[in-house]
């Protein structure tokens, strides 16, 4: 089985590339983030025509998460219990979507950005991650193969950014954010991609500005974390850096894992 995650940065802008990539990559399950679409705007028909069942959770033109599967899709759950709200009035944003695909419980996450150290959105981010950690603990305890994957907006190691000096006073690398990421690993989840894609210089995101991609100024912020039964089945992983190239590319690259039956 091949499972992937990809922040597409607007499914409506990127649908042609998503279709082409699905046909080329032959993945069985794809978790998508930042669809920037409501359910009414999401291109269900085009993706179903490729043989995938589709679930999407989107409330407006921000955020949005989806799961595509050709190995079954059941027990779909939008967001998670006790997820903190944001905004005025407060709303539980479309940042998480969970389903069972091929016997694996998968969760697509688009973690809040945090914006800046000390910003109220950073407090929201840390609270959101704390609640996700509680669910991660439950998934590990269940014994079912499970994976949490998506855009975490955290670079947990210094080698995950092109310059720690540049990011030192910025979000994504702060001790609080890294501790929140580590807390999920401490439940028993494992980064199943890094062993197959070692750094430094291995990234999943490159900003559109200042020729960041061409200058190799990226960040590794997209991760697939697997529970012990999931991690035991992983035989390989890759970051499809080629998909960041060309006209109309997302600023993130797909991340793929291979599982044995």
């Amino acid at each position: 089985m091949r499972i992937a995650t990809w922040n597409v940065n607007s499914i409506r802008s990127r649908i042609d590339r998503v279709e082409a990539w699905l046909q080329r990559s032959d993945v069985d399950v794809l978790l998508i983030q930042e669809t920037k679409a409501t359910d009414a705007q999401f291109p269900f028909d085009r993706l179903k025509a490729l043989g995938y069942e589709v679930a999407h959770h989107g409330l407006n033109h921000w955020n949005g998460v989806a799961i595509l599967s050709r190995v079954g899709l059941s027990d779909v759950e939008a967001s998670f219990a006790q997820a903190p709200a944001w905004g005025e009035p407060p709303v539980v944003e479309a940042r998480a979507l969970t389903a069972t695909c091929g016997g694996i419980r998968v969760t697509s996450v688009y973690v809040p950005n945090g914006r800046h150290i000390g910003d109220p959105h950073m407090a929201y981010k840390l609270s959101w991650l704390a609640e996700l950690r509680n669910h991660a603990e439950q998934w590990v305890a269940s014994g079912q193969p499970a994976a949490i994957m998506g855009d975490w907006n955290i670079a947990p190691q210094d080698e995950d950014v092109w310059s720690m000096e540049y990011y030192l006073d910025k979000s994504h690398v702060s001790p609080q954010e890294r501790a929140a990421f580590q807390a999920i690993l401490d439940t028993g989840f494992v980064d199943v991609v890094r062993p197959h894609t070692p750094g430094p210089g291995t990234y999943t995101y490159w900003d559109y500005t200042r020729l960041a991609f061409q200058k190799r100024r990226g960040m590794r912020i997209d991760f697939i974390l697997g529970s012990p039964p999931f991690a035991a089945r992983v035989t390989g992983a890759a970051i499809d850096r080629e998909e960041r190239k060309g006209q109309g590319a997302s600023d993130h690259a797909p991340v793929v894992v291979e599982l044995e039956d």
Side-chain angles (χ1 to χ4, degrees):
M1 186 185 301
R2 290 167 59 83
I3 298 179
T5 182
W6 190 9
N7 178 325
V8 299
N9 190 9
S10 177
I11 188 66
R12 288 176 290 168
S13 299
R14 231 68 67 190
I15 182 59
D16 290 345
R17 290 191 67 131
V18 171
E19 286 179 327
W21 187 81
L22 285 169
Q23 292 170 323
R24 184 170 67 253
S25 63
D26 195 34
V27 297
D28 299 295
V29 181
L30 173 62
L31 279 64
I32 294 175
Q33 302 84 44
E34 207 172 356
T35 64
K36 294 183 177 179
T38 64
D39 288 348
Q41 296 168 326
F42 192 84
F44 286 96
D45 291 345
R46 293 181 63 169
L47 297 169
K48 289 179 178 178
L50 297 177
Y52 292 90
E53 296 180 75
V54 183
H56 176 252
H57 177 40
L59 303 177
N60 48 42
H61 62 287
W62 304 109
N63 311 314
V65 280
I67 300 174
L68 285 56
S69 173
R70 61 184 188 188
V71 291
L73 193 153
S74 61
D75 302 321
V76 177
E77 179 182 0
S79 193
F80 49 83
Q82 308 304 316
W86 174 259
E88 191 58 50
V91 173
V92 176
E93 297 180 303
R95 291 186 174 275
L97 184 65
T98 301
T100 300
C101 304
I104 299 172
R105 195 71 174 155
V106 296
T107 300
S108 178
V109 295
Y110 179 43
V111 175
N113 182 281
R115 298 177 182 169
H116 305 287
I117 306 299
D119 191 286
H121 210 257
M122 180 63 73
Y124 166 55
K125 176 180 190 174
L126 297 175
S127 176
W128 196 94
L129 285 164
E131 291 298 339
L132 179 64
R133 180 239 172 250
N134 293 336
H135 286 272
E137 189 173 51
Q138 295 170 20
W139 290 325
V140 169
S142 75
Q144 180 182 14
I148 310 171
M149 61 187 84
D151 178 357
W152 292 79
N153 274 312
I154 299 172
Q157 298 185 17
D158 288 358
E159 70 172 26
D160 295 337
V161 295
W162 67 273
S163 168
M164 270 302 295
E165 182 179 5
Y166 175 82
Y167 281 104
L168 202 54
D169 61 346
K170 298 176 175 60
S171 66
H172 292 60
V173 302
S174 71
Q176 303 97 306
E177 292 166 283
R178 288 180 167 181
F181 187 88
Q182 183 61 46
I184 293 175
L185 295 177
D186 289 344
T187 68
F189 274 84
V190 178
D191 179 350
V192 298
V193 177
R194 192 184 296 271
H196 301 277
T197 60
T202 301
Y203 308 127
T204 64
Y205 163 84
W206 301 260
D207 191 84
Y208 285 129
T209 64
R210 301 177 183 176
L211 297 176
F213 182 72
Q214 291 84 348
K215 294 180 179 179
R216 300 183 180 273
R217 294 180 175 179
M219 306 176 74
R220 189 201 288 251
I221 57 175
D222 301 85
F223 295 93
I224 298 177
L225 306 187
S227 68
F230 181 95
R233 292 174 55 185
V234 173
T235 59
I239 298 167
D240 190 353
R241 189 177 182 277
E242 292 297 307
E243 188 55 37
R244 178 59 178 81
K245 297 179 180 180
Q247 185 175 4
S250 171
D251 45 4
H252 293 252
V255 180
V256 186
V257 291
E258 301 267 1
L259 302 181
E260 62 183 4
D261 293 336

Coordinates of all heavy atoms in Angstrom, one line a residue, residues 15-51:
I15 N -6.0 21.3 -9.1 CA -6.7 20.1 -9.4 C -6.1 19.3 -10.6 O -5.9 18.1 -10.6 CB -8.2 20.2 -9.6 CG1 -8.9 18.9 -9.9 CG2 -8.5 21.2 -10.7 CD1 -8.7 17.9 -8.7
D16 N -5.6 20.1 -11.6 CA -5.0 19.4 -12.8 C -3.7 18.7 -12.3 O -3.5 17.6 -12.8 CB -4.7 20.4 -13.9 CG -6.0 20.9 -14.5 OD1 -7.0 20.3 -14.4 OD2 -5.9 22.0 -15.2
R17 N -2.9 19.3 -11.5 CA -1.7 18.7 -11.1 C -1.9 17.6 -10.1 O -1.2 16.6 -10.1 CB -0.8 19.8 -10.4 CG -0.2 20.8 -11.4 CD 0.8 21.7 -10.8 NE 2.0 20.9 -10.5 CZ 3.3 21.3 -10.8 NH1 3.5 22.4 -11.5 NH2 4.3 20.5 -10.4
V18 N -3.0 17.7 -9.3 CA -3.3 16.6 -8.4 C -3.7 15.4 -9.2 O -3.3 14.2 -8.9 CB -4.4 17.0 -7.4 CG1 -4.9 15.8 -6.6 CG2 -3.9 18.1 -6.4
E19 N -4.6 15.6 -10.2 CA -5.0 14.4 -11.0 C -3.8 13.8 -11.7 O -3.7 12.5 -11.7 CB -6.0 14.9 -12.1 CG -7.4 15.2 -11.6 CD -8.3 15.7 -12.7 OE1 -7.8 16.4 -13.6 OE2 -9.5 15.5 -12.6
A20 N -2.9 14.6 -12.3 CA -1.8 14.1 -13.0 C -0.8 13.3 -12.0 O -0.3 12.2 -12.3 CB -1.0 15.2 -13.7
W21 N -0.7 13.9 -10.8 CA 0.2 13.2 -9.8 C -0.4 11.9 -9.3 O 0.4 10.9 -9.2 CB 0.5 14.2 -8.6 CG 1.5 13.6 -7.7 CD1 2.9 13.7 -7.9 CD2 1.3 12.9 -6.5 NE1 3.5 13.0 -6.8 CE2 2.5 12.6 -6.0 CE3 0.1 12.5 -5.8 CZ2 2.7 11.8 -4.8 CZ3 0.3 11.8 -4.6 CH2 1.5 11.5 -4.1
L22 N -1.7 11.8 -9.1 CA -2.3 10.6 -8.7 C -2.1 9.5 -9.8 O -1.8 8.4 -9.4 CB -3.8 10.8 -8.4 CG -4.1 11.6 -7.1 CD1 -5.6 12.0 -7.1 CD2 -3.8 10.7 -5.9
Q23 N -2.3 9.9 -11.0 CA -2.1 8.9 -12.1 C -0.7 8.4 -12.2 O -0.4 7.3 -12.5 CB -2.6 9.5 -13.4 CG -4.1 9.7 -13.4 CD -4.6 10.5 -14.6 OE1 -3.9 11.5 -15.1 NE2 -5.7 10.2 -15.2
R24 N 0.3 9.3 -11.9 CA 1.7 9.0 -12.0 C 2.2 8.3 -10.8 O 3.1 7.4 -11.0 CB 2.4 10.3 -12.3 CG 3.9 10.2 -12.5 CD 4.5 11.5 -12.9 NE 4.5 12.5 -11.9 CZ 3.7 13.6 -11.9 NH1 2.9 13.8 -12.9 NH2 3.8 14.5 -10.9
S25 N 1.7 8.6 -9.7 CA 2.3 8.1 -8.4 C 1.7 6.8 -8.0 O 2.3 6.0 -7.2 CB 2.2 9.1 -7.3 OG 0.8 9.3 -7.0
D26 N 0.5 6.5 -8.4 CA -0.2 5.3 -8.1 C -0.3 5.1 -6.6 O -0.2 4.0 -6.1 CB 0.6 4.1 -8.7 CG -0.2 2.8 -8.7 OD1 -1.4 2.9 -8.9 OD2 0.4 1.7 -8.6
V27 N -0.7 6.1 -5.9 CA -0.9 6.0 -4.4 C -2.3 5.5 -4.2 O -3.3 5.7 -4.9 CB -0.7 7.3 -3.7 CG1 0.7 7.8 -3.8 CG2 -1.7 8.4 -4.1
D28 N -2.4 4.7 -3.1 CA -3.7 4.1 -2.7 C -4.5 5.1 -1.8 O -5.8 5.1 -1.8 CB -3.5 2.8 -1.9 CG -2.8 1.8 -2.8 OD1 -3.4 1.4 -3.8 OD2 -1.7 1.4 -2.5
V29 N -3.8 5.9 -1.0 CA -4.5 6.8 -0.1 C -3.7 8.1 -0.1 O -2.5 8.1 0.0 CB -4.5 6.3 1.4 CG1 -5.2 7.3 2.3 CG2 -5.2 4.9 1.4
L30 N -4.4 9.2 -0.3 CA -3.8 10.6 -0.3 C -4.5 11.4 0.7 O -5.7 11.6 0.6 CB -3.8 11.2 -1.7 CG -3.3 12.7 -1.7 CD1 -1.9 12.8 -1.3 CD2 -3.5 13.2 -3.1
L31 N -3.8 12.0 1.6 CA -4.3 13.0 2.6 C -3.9 14.4 2.1 O -2.7 14.6 1.9 CB -3.8 12.7 4.0 CG -4.6 11.6 4.7 CD1 -4.4 10.2 4.1 CD2 -4.2 11.5 6.2
I32 N -4.9 15.3 2.0 CA -4.6 16.6 1.5 C -4.9 17.6 2.5 O -5.8 17.5 3.4 CB -5.5 16.8 0.2 CG1 -5.2 15.9 -0.9 CG2 -5.5 18.3 -0.2 CD1 -6.1 16.0 -2.1
Q33 N -4.1 18.7 2.5 CA -4.3 19.8 3.4 C -4.4 21.1 2.6 O -3.9 21.2 1.5 CB -3.2 20.0 4.4 CG -3.0 18.8 5.3 CD -2.1 17.7 4.6 OE1 -1.1 18.1 4.0 NE2 -2.5 16.5 4.7
E34 N -5.0 22.1 3.2 CA -5.1 23.5 2.7 C -5.9 23.4 1.4 O -5.4 24.0 0.4 CB -3.8 24.2 2.6 CG -4.0 25.7 2.7 CD -2.6 26.5 2.7 OE1 -1.6 25.9 2.8 OE2 -2.7 27.7 2.7
T35 N -7.0 22.8 1.4 CA -7.9 22.7 0.2 C -8.4 24.1 -0.2 O -8.7 24.4 -1.4 CB -9.0 21.7 0.3 OG1 -9.9 22.2 1.3 CG2 -8.5 20.3 0.6
K36 N -8.6 25.0 0.8 CA -9.2 26.3 0.6 C -10.5 26.3 -0.2 O -10.7 27.0 -1.1 CB -8.2 27.2 -0.2 CG -6.9 27.5 0.6 CD -6.0 28.4 -0.2 CE -4.7 28.8 0.6 NZ -3.8 29.7 -0.1
A37 N -11.4 25.3 0.2 CA -12.6 25.2 -0.4 C -13.7 24.7 0.6 O -13.4 24.0 1.5 CB -12.5 24.1 -1.5
T38 N -14.9 25.1 0.3 CA -16.0 24.5 1.0 C -16.3 23.1 0.4 O -15.8 22.8 -0.7 CB -17.3 25.4 0.9 OG1 -17.7 25.4 -0.5 CG2 -17.0 26.8 1.4
D39 N -17.2 22.3 1.0 CA -17.6 21.1 0.4 C -18.2 21.2 -0.9 O -18.0 20.4 -1.8 CB -18.5 20.3 1.4 CG -17.8 19.8 2.6 OD1 -16.5 19.8 2.6 OD2 -18.5 19.3 3.6
A40 N -19.0 22.3 -1.1 CA -19.7 22.6 -2.3 C -18.7 22.9 -3.4 O -19.0 22.7 -4.6 CB -20.7 23.7 -2.2
Q41 N -17.6 23.5 -3.1 CA -16.6 23.8 -4.1 C -15.6 22.7 -4.4 O -14.8 22.8 -5.4 CB -15.8 25.1 -3.6 CG -16.7 26.3 -3.4 CD -15.9 27.4 -2.7 OE1 -15.1 27.1 -1.8 NE2 -16.2 28.7 -3.0
F42 N -15.5 21.7 -3.6 CA -14.5 20.7 -3.7 C -14.8 19.8 -5.0 O -15.9 19.4 -5.2 CB -14.5 19.8 -2.5 CG -13.3 18.9 -2.4 CD1 -12.1 19.4 -1.9 CD2 -13.3 17.6 -2.8 CE1 -10.9 18.5 -1.8 CE2 -12.2 16.8 -2.7 CZ -11.0 17.2 -2.3
P43 N -13.8 19.4 -5.8 CA -14.0 18.7 -7.0 C -14.1 17.2 -6.8 O -13.3 16.4 -7.3 CB -12.7 19.0 -7.8 CG -11.7 19.2 -6.8 CD -12.4 19.9 -5.6
F44 N -15.2 16.8 -6.1 CA -15.4 15.4 -5.8 C -15.4 14.5 -7.0 O -14.8 13.4 -7.1 CB -16.7 15.2 -5.0 CG -16.7 15.6 -3.6 CD1 -17.1 16.9 -3.2 CD2 -16.2 14.8 -2.6 CE1 -17.1 17.3 -1.9 CE2 -16.2 15.2 -1.3 CZ -16.7 16.4 -0.9
D45 N -16.2 15.0 -8.0 CA -16.4 14.1 -9.2 C -15.1 13.8 -10.0 O -14.9 12.7 -10.4 CB -17.4 14.8 -10.2 CG -18.8 14.9 -9.6 OD1 -19.1 14.1 -8.6 OD2 -19.6 15.6 -10.1
R46 N -14.2 14.8 -10.1 CA -13.0 14.6 -10.8 C -12.1 13.5 -10.1 O -11.4 12.7 -10.8 CB -12.3 15.9 -11.0 CG -13.0 16.8 -12.0 CD -12.3 18.1 -12.2 NE -11.0 18.0 -12.9 CZ -10.3 19.0 -13.4 NH1 -10.7 20.2 -13.2 NH2 -9.1 18.8 -14.0
L47 N -12.1 13.6 -8.8 CA -11.2 12.6 -8.1 C -11.9 11.2 -8.0 O -11.2 10.2 -8.1 CB -11.0 13.2 -6.7 CG -10.2 14.5 -6.7 CD1 -10.2 15.1 -5.3 CD2 -8.8 14.3 -7.2
K48 N -13.2 11.2 -7.9 CA -13.9 9.9 -7.9 C -13.7 9.2 -9.3 O -13.7 8.0 -9.3 CB -15.4 10.1 -7.6 CG -15.6 10.5 -6.1 CD -17.1 10.7 -5.9 CE -17.4 11.0 -4.4 NZ -18.8 11.2 -4.1
A49 N -13.6 10.0 -10.3 CA -13.4 9.4 -11.7 C -12.1 8.7 -11.8 O -12.0 7.8 -12.7 CB -13.5 10.5 -12.7
L50 N -11.2 9.0 -10.9 CA -9.9 8.3 -10.9 C -9.9 7.0 -10.1 O -8.9 6.3 -9.9 CB -8.8 9.2 -10.4 CG -8.5 10.5 -11.2 CD1 -7.5 11.4 -10.5 CD2 -8.1 10.1 -12.6
G51 N -11.1 6.7 -9.5 CA -11.2 5.5 -8.7 C -11.1 5.7 -7.2 O -11.0 4.7 -6.5

